[in-house]
Amino acid sequence: MRIVTLSDVTLGYGSPQIPLLASSLSQFYTAEGKIIEPVQPELAPRHGMFPFEFHRIATADHPHSPVGRAEYVWRASKLVNSLNPDVLVISCTYCLPILYRLKRRPRKVIYYSIESIPFYGEFDVEMNRRAASLLDVILFPEENRAALETGRCGFPGVPKIVLYNVNNRRKDTRPALPLPRRNGRILYSGAISREHTFADYYLSEKIRSLPIDLFGPIKGSQSGKQIFASAITGSLRYRGYITASELAALRPAYAYSIVAWNPNSENQLYAAPNKFFESIAAGVPPIAAPHPQCKLILERYACGLLMPDWSFDAFLSTLQKAIALYGAQPWLEMVENCARAVDAELTWDAQFDKLKAYL
């Protein structure tokens, strides 16, 4: 049994579900997995993190440029043909053209549509409309995105499954830190952007008075970055850009975490956020804007606080409510409910169980 996973990114930085899926498939079929990934010049390989045989494909132009993507598809398709896999995983529409260049259809083709199809343009939408006969199952990270992509592309006769963007395994589950070991602060991790993640909200005097720690890259011009950094005063702290493993070690000590994107694009409205699920897994109740998947999970398990909308007033009032509840019975219940959500379904193993019937 030969299993090959085609990645659209250099693994070890984002998209942790791709190696998780590859690992689970290897365990299910008792077979060694192989990974094909593009060389992103700005990212060093992190193969030591994973138990796979890696094949890296370098391209003359950046692999996420149109020319670089075309070269990656050409080289990867030749490699897949030589590897002759029984099971092939296609990671997002970026890699889908490779299917059209194969000399032999694998016994099982799993399409992990982890990114929005229209993001790549109308050509990709049309290509996906013609792909149904080449696919055995399609995985989506969010319910509304699954419905939208199916409406656009059809995929008639192909089973479709929603796998949440969790990346914690059952065996790695740890009890939440007790109240005396918490720092009482609110965590924000991710890109800090005026356009995408409400960076301007944090410059308000009312927000700067709240105990918030910001981690992540500041987006924008150099002057804009300097203005933002110099405006960080009061209880608000900017703590730089750290690795995912360093952040994972710090996260359990926080009281809450913030999860919010500007809903001005389909991708951001129907967010399927890793950090939302990472926060729940750590026993840190999320404070989330009403992205549909966040709303669904918070209403199902009462494991965090939901902003009524994306406005500054909603952002501020929900943060103030969170601080008022910290350490009291409602907060303790949210922490307990995080564990209940993880026990019920928010582990990678529980999500992979949904796929087993189709393997």
Side-chain angles (χ1 to χ4, degrees), residues 37-111:
E37 68 176 15
V39 172
Q40 293 179 244
E42 70 276 17
L43 300 177
R46 289 186 167 177
H47 299 166
M49 298 172 61
F50 309 109
F52 306 116
E53 177 185 310
F54 274 83
H55 297 264
R56 284 169 59 78
I57 294 179
T59 54
D61 286 9
H62 194 284
H64 294 157
S65 69
V67 174
R69 180 190 180 190
E71 185 179 357
Y72 178 74
V73 165
W74 177 67
R75 294 185 182 278
S77 60
K78 291 180 66 176
L79 181 54
V80 174
N81 280 323
S82 69
L83 294 172
N84 196 23
D86 300 294
V87 178
L88 181 65
V89 178
I90 300 288
S91 298
C92 98
T93 189
Y94 175 93
C95 297
L96 188 63
I98 293 163
L99 275 184
Y100 293 92
R101 300 181 60 89
L102 298 187
K103 295 177 180 178
R104 167 188 167 272
R105 189 192 191 285
R107 288 164 54 189
K108 191 71 66 176
V109 176
I110 300 168
Y111 181 24

Side-chain angles (χ1 to χ4, degrees), residues 7 15 18 107 120 125-126 131 139 156 178 182 185 212 221 231 246 252 263 268 276 281 306-307 311 330-331 335 347:
S7 176
S15 301
I18 294 175
R107 288 164 54 189
Y120 283 88
V125 174
E126 183 60 32
L139 313 179
R182 305 273 183 144
R185 297 183 65 82
I212 301 172
S221 66
E246 289 171 329
Q268 291 176 194
F276 176 78
L306 188 68
M307 301 176 201
S311 68
W331 180 82
V335 173
T347 61

Side-chain angles (χ1 to χ4, degrees), residues 110-132:
I110 300 168
Y111 181 24
Y112 198 0
S113 188
I114 200 167
E115 301 292 347
S116 173
I117 294 169
F119 176 80
Y120 283 88
E122 188 57 35
F123 172 84
D124 275 79
V125 174
E126 183 60 32
M127 178 178 61
N128 276 263
R129 288 178 183 145
R130 299 167 185 264

Side-chain angles (χ1 to χ4, degrees), residues 151-270:
R152 290 186 185 104
C153 305
F155 303 120
V158 185
K160 304 163 188 72
I161 308 171
V162 174
L163 301 190
Y164 293 150
N165 268 351
V166 296
N167 59 38
N168 52 312
R169 307 297 297 264
R170 287 191 184 112
K171 64 182 177 64
D172 298 324
T173 301
R174 299 284 185 272
L177 284 185
L179 180 61
R181 295 181 60 189
R182 305 273 183 144
N183 60 21
R185 297 183 65 82
I186 299 171
L187 167 70
Y188 172 82
S189 62
I192 300 168
S193 163
R194 300 182 72 178
E195 180 182 358
H196 301 300
T197 57
F198 305 111
D200 287 345
Y201 285 4
Y202 296 98
L203 301 184
S204 160
E205 185 176 345
K206 292 179 179 178
I207 297 296
R208 283 184 288 162
S209 68
L210 303 179
I212 301 172
D213 285 350
L214 304 172
F215 292 87
I218 302 171
K219 300 296 185 179
S221 66
Q222 190 58 40
S223 61
K225 293 177 184 179
Q226 291 173 346
I227 291 170
F228 183 87
S230 63
I232 301 296
T233 59
S235 294
L236 183 69
R237 303 188 304 197
Y238 176 61
R239 300 195 58 189
Y241 192 17
I242 62 176
T243 67
S245 58
E246 289 171 329
L247 184 62
L250 293 174
R251 184 183 289 111
Y254 280 85
Y256 300 94
S257 72
I258 297 170
V259 179
W261 287 267
N262 188 338
N264 60 356
S265 71
E266 184 179 296
N267 244 7
Q268 291 176 194
L269 172 61
Y270 299 119

Side-chain angles (χ1 to χ4, degrees), residues 22 31 45 115 135 157 161 191 234 240 317 323-325 338 343:
E115 301 292 347
L135 307 173
I161 308 171
S317 64
I323 291 168
L325 292 177
C338 286
D343 288 343

